[in-house]
């Protein structure tokens, strides 16, 4: 995958979620920026995430992010790598220790453009997060990285109780439930 493949995927990507469809054009436009895959693009840049579910699709793996203090899917910065599937997989492996990760589909699962608050030495900026669906063995031992406070397999029914209201996570959860019906 490279920026041309991503741009092509974005051109055909359709979603029934208004909040997601509103920024597809922003993602497509960003693929044309030379620095889009680097943190040096201070206005915002690409990141990639892995929405990880167990094979039975009853649980999702979330991390309590150390810097943001919120439960989120695993993922991170592209750091120059235009292959966002590789980025999502690498970040998921580093943040969980899982070796059983399996990409379900190489097409985009979800998109989210969100603001990252200012911190010392980092100005406020946008993350253009491209998400992919992965499956993993729920029984494999988890290894918490320095980027996380905690990791947990959370039942779909308990996600809202665990994380509170996060429209992005709830959207991916709903997509997962709908895809289960289609399988």
């Amino acid at each position: 995958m490279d920026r041309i493949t991503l741009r092509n995927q974005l051109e055909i990507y359709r979603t029934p979620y208004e909040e997601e469809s509103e920024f597809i054009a922003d993602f497509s436009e960003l693929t044309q920026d030379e620095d889009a895959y680097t943190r040096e693009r201070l206005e915002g840049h690409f990141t990639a995430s892995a929405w990880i579910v167990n094979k039975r699709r009853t649980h999702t793996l979330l991390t309590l992010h150390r810097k943001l203090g919120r439960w989120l899917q695993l993922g991170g910065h592209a750091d120059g790598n235009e292959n966002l599937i590789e980025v999502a997989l690498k970040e998921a492996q580093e943040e969980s220790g899982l070796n059983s990760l399996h990409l379900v589909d190489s097409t985009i699962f979800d998109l989210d453009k969100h603001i990252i608050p200012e911190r010392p030495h980092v100005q406020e900026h946008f993350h253009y997060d491209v998400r992919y669906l992965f499956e993993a063995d729920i029984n494999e031992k988890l290894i918490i990285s320095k980027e996380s406070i905690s990791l947990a397999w959370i039942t779909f029914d308990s996600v809202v109780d665990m994380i509170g209201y996060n429209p992005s996570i709830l959207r991916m959860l709903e997509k997962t439930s709908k895809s289960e019906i289609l399988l």
Side-chain angles (χ1 to χ4, degrees):
M1 171 184 269
D2 58 19
R3 68 179 63 223
I4 295 168
T5 304
L6 178 59
R7 188 176 316 128
N8 291 339
Q9 284 190 356
L10 289 164
E11 286 177 9
I12 61 171
Y13 185 71
R14 299 293 177 264
T15 178
Y17 301 91
E18 186 176 328
E19 70 276 11
E20 185 182 18
S21 63
E22 287 176 359
F23 43 69
I24 294 173
D26 295 344
F27 278 69
S28 188
E29 184 178 323
L30 184 59
T31 62
Q32 299 178 44
D33 188 307
E34 191 174 306
D35 296 325
Y37 295 84
T38 68
R39 297 179 203 220
E40 287 71 36
R41 186 175 186 282
L42 301 177
E43 307 83 28
H45 40 262
F46 281 118
T47 58
S49 291
W51 178 248
I52 304 170
V53 297
N54 65 325
K55 292 182 193 316
R56 292 184 55 223
R57 304 242 175 130
T58 57
H59 292 72
T60 185
L61 180 65
L62 298 178
T63 179
L64 182 53
H65 195 278
R66 186 169 302 280
K67 289 179 184 172
L68 298 175
R70 299 174 54 204
W71 286 97
L72 301 170
Q73 73 284 349
L74 287 69
H77 288 92
D79 289 330
N81 187 349
E82 292 186 12
N83 187 328
L84 295 181
I85 293 171
E86 284 180 4
V87 173
L89 177 60
K90 175 181 170 275
E91 292 290 331
Q93 288 173 327
E94 288 176 359
E95 294 176 9
S96 69
L98 290 173
N99 292 311
S100 64
L101 288 164
H102 167 75
L103 180 67
V104 173
D105 190 338
S106 62
T107 60
I108 297 166
F109 179 67
D110 191 74
L111 297 170
D112 195 59
K113 179 182 172 185
H114 52 269
I115 197 82
I116 299 299
E118 182 177 1
R119 293 188 325 272
H121 310 292
V122 179
Q123 74 178 39
E124 180 179 86
H125 62 280
F126 282 102
H127 277 179
Y128 293 76
D129 198 33
V130 181
R131 288 122 177 228
Y132 298 93
L133 180 62
F134 287 83
E135 288 179 349
D137 181 353
I138 196 169
N139 296 311
E140 185 178 346
K141 181 182 177 190
L142 298 172
I143 301 170
I144 299 172
S145 76
K146 64 181 187 226
E147 296 182 23
S148 300
I149 296 169
S150 184
L151 284 170
W153 282 101
I154 303 169
T155 63
F156 287 178
D157 294 343
S158 302
V159 168
V160 173
D161 294 335
M162 181 83 166
I163 69 162
Y165 179 72
N166 180 326
S168 168
I169 298 252
L170 297 178
R171 184 176 63 239
M172 289 189 290
L173 185 62
E174 187 173 325
K175 285 180 179 185
T176 308
S177 298
K178 285 182 179 179
S179 70
E180 177 65 21
I181 294 168
L182 299 175
L183 292 177

